Amino acid sequence: MALAACAPRLVKPPVWPTTPAVRATADHDGRWAEALHYARWTPSPHNMQPWRLRLLNAWQAELCCDPDRQLPNTDPQSAFTMVTLSMFAEHLAIAFAAQGYALSAEFVDAPIDYTVRAPVLVAMLSLEPLPKRLDARARRSALCERQTSRLPYDGSCVHNEVLETIQRRSATEGHQFGWTHDRAQVRAGIAINRDAVFADMDSEVARTELRRWIRPSDQQAQATNDGLWSRCMHFPGWLLRDFFDNHRAWQHGARAALGKRLLTHGMRGTRTLAWWSGPFVTPADWVRAGRVFAHAWLLLSEAGVHLHPFGSVVTNPDAHQRFLSMLGPSRPANTMWLLARMGYSDQPPRSLRIPTSAIFLNDTEQFS
Ligand SMILES: Cc1cc2nc3c(=O)[nH]c(=O)nc-3n(C[C@H](O)[C@H](O)[C@H](O)COP(=O)(O)O)c2cc1C
């Protein structure tokens, strides 16, 4: 049976309100819990969901990074963790707008300090009353509908009008957005990503860090509500487990060839690769990039377009260079900080999320 055929049906998040038990004490009227109920569907690398909230009062909270949900070896500068935390703040603002509040986020101008074994302050969040807008609820629903699709795509190019909208929107934040529908370039980009994924996993340090987030069985995924569930990865769980736990066998020969073929075959029907580029050096740059990516992904999702980031091509220096050389004159002039395949696919299995109540910080909590 094809893996996609046994995927669970899409389960929509339950309609608010949930029970008062999920509300943190400072959240008298449950406004933060309600907004988190939607914002927790923010995408994050490996679905690690690094966000935690310390409520100061009904109007203010600290956004923190969970010390047990970090990638010190594979995101040493914390750039992509800052990107996802910035996306989370954007999603939270969209959720609050539907409740009649404007959320502002003031980010700390520093990378995440991985040596601190306690929640690290990332941004101060504050609320103000805002007149409710009619379209705010529809925008909030989009937060729960956006998904990563690692399924095959349907063989058509993403419509240029959609991509041009993303391009204009990204430009308002000083970022460039480019794409290709060229068959040879798309094929080459997928091959570069495949080689980079395999090359990255040859590093024991990187493999060990990623292994923590691999959920090869339904039981494991449902026990933690985080990480990369084999169903969402579109790979059989046994294969994913064996790839990590018996890696030597997958480095060469028939198994390496099989793994690479499966990865490429799973991306059939892709006709568009797209990338963002722009300033990506300082924490403020990462926050701005997160804002750009959050709104772009939601716009794409609203237009029925799915995407699948190719993180390894961005972070692996050889793959990055190979990809830019392959693009030739259409290569971006600035730093490429995100590359993805995009297209139209079936509904992918929904990745899981930790419950709203677990996002609130409890100051008696112990971290490893
Ligand atoms: C900054 C960032 C980088 C990501 N990089 C990758 C990647 O390299 N490969 C991949 O398959 N998914 C990548 N993802 C997608 C996440 O794995 C995905 O968002 C997460 O598993 C939750 O699933 P969902 O998007 O379907 O809700 C990335 C997401 C973000 C926000």
Side-chain angles (χ1 to χ4, degrees):
M1 188 176 18
L3 185 71
C6 51
R9 279 185 46 242
L10 175 77
V11 182
K12 288 257 175 183
V15 175
W16 189 258
T18 58
T19 61
V22 301
R23 297 179 184 173
T25 38
D27 193 21
H28 306 298
D29 56 4
R31 66 180 72 157
W32 289 88
E34 180 176 351
L36 279 178
H37 176 73
Y38 295 91
R40 70 201 173 105
W41 294 98
T42 304
S44 58
H46 315 327
N47 195 23
M48 66 176 177
Q49 307 168 54
W51 37 79
R52 301 298 300 274
L53 277 195
R54 179 180 287 121
L55 287 196
L56 304 180
N57 53 56
W59 298 93
Q60 290 176 305
E62 292 176 352
L63 172 59
C64 298
C65 181
D66 189 321
D68 292 336
R69 295 174 181 275
Q70 298 175 345
L71 302 169
N73 297 305
T74 49
D75 184 22
Q77 290 186 292
S78 71
F80 295 96
T81 306
M82 288 295 289
V83 164
T84 194
L85 286 161
S86 165
M87 294 173 87
F88 176 78
E90 287 305 301
H91 283 216
L92 199 59
I94 292 169
F96 267 124
Q99 296 168 229
Y101 299 102
L103 177 94
S104 55
E106 202 177 314
F107 276 81
V108 172
D109 190 18
I112 293 161
D113 183 347
Y114 290 139
T115 62
V116 177
R117 298 318 301 155
V120 180
L121 177 68
V122 172
M124 288 299 304
L125 306 178
S126 40
L127 293 178
E128 275 178 37
L130 172 83
K132 279 196 189 176
R133 284 180 41 172
L134 281 178
D135 59 354
R137 278 177 174 261
R139 194 101 183 95
R140 179 174 74 174
S141 307
L143 301 178
C144 309
E145 277 149 26
R146 181 222 52 81
Q147 288 183 270
T148 302
S149 176
R150 302 182 186 86
L151 301 178
Y153 293 171
D154 76 353
S156 52
C157 300
V158 175
H159 302 306
N160 281 337
E161 309 83 79
V162 178
L163 299 170
E164 283 157 9
T165 306
I166 305 290
Q167 190 171 51
R168 281 193 298 275
R169 173 90 204 214
S170 304
T172 62
E173 293 271 6
H175 285 265
Q176 290 76 50
F177 177 72
W179 65 88
T180 179
H181 301 310
D182 180 276
R183 283 180 193 276
Q185 288 191 331
V186 170
R187 213 173 17 251
I190 289 175
I192 293 169
N193 177 64
R194 174 201 63 200
D195 294 348
V197 166
F198 273 75
D200 286 353
M201 289 302 98
D202 284 344
S203 149
E204 191 175 342
V205 171
R207 201 168 63 243
T208 306
E209 190 159 89
L210 178 54
R211 179 66 182 90
R212 260 198 71 205
W213 300 103
I214 298 295
R215 307 286 177 256
S217 72
D218 294 356
Q219 291 88 325
Q220 284 166 347
Q222 286 156 359
T224 59
N225 288 306
D226 61 14
L228 296 168
W229 189 4
S230 51
R231 289 182 187 275
C232 299
M233 298 300 284
H234 198 52
F235 268 103
W238 66 264
L239 189 151
L240 214 51
R241 183 186 292 110
D242 200 55
F243 179 82
F244 280 90
D245 298 349
N246 186 16
H247 188 67
R248 217 176 257 270
W250 289 88
Q251 280 179 302
H252 310 284
R255 271 197 247 192
L258 171 70
K260 289 188 176 186
R261 212 168 38 245
L262 283 175
L263 194 66
T264 314
H265 188 64
M267 297 187 190
R268 64 192 177 277
T270 305
R271 285 299 320 280
T272 304
L273 293 183
W275 52 87
W276 281 264
S277 60
F280 202 68
V281 176
T282 65
D285 293 339
W286 305 330
V287 170
R288 200 167 301 114
R291 229 168 23 227
V292 168
F293 191 29
H295 288 280
W297 202 338
L298 290 171
L299 280 169
L300 287 162
S301 171
E302 283 166 328
V305 178
H306 277 111
L307 73 82
H308 173 181
F310 281 177
S312 295
V313 180
V314 173
T315 53
N316 179 309
D318 291 343
H320 198 117
Q321 270 321 310
R322 256 181 89 195
F323 184 76
L324 295 184
S325 310
M326 184 276 291
L327 284 182
S330 49
R331 60 189 288 168
N334 296 308
T335 307
M336 178 179 74
W337 51 265
L338 203 109
L339 169 68
R341 69 181 180 110
M342 293 182 185
Y344 304 92
S345 82
D346 289 343
Q347 182 87 58
R350 178 168 288 283
S351 65
L352 304 178
R353 292 296 189 277
I354 55 177
T356 303
S357 55
I359 299 174
F360 288 116
L361 266 173
N362 155 6
D363 281 327
T364 59
E365 215 169 319
Q366 299 290 314
F367 294 90
S368 56

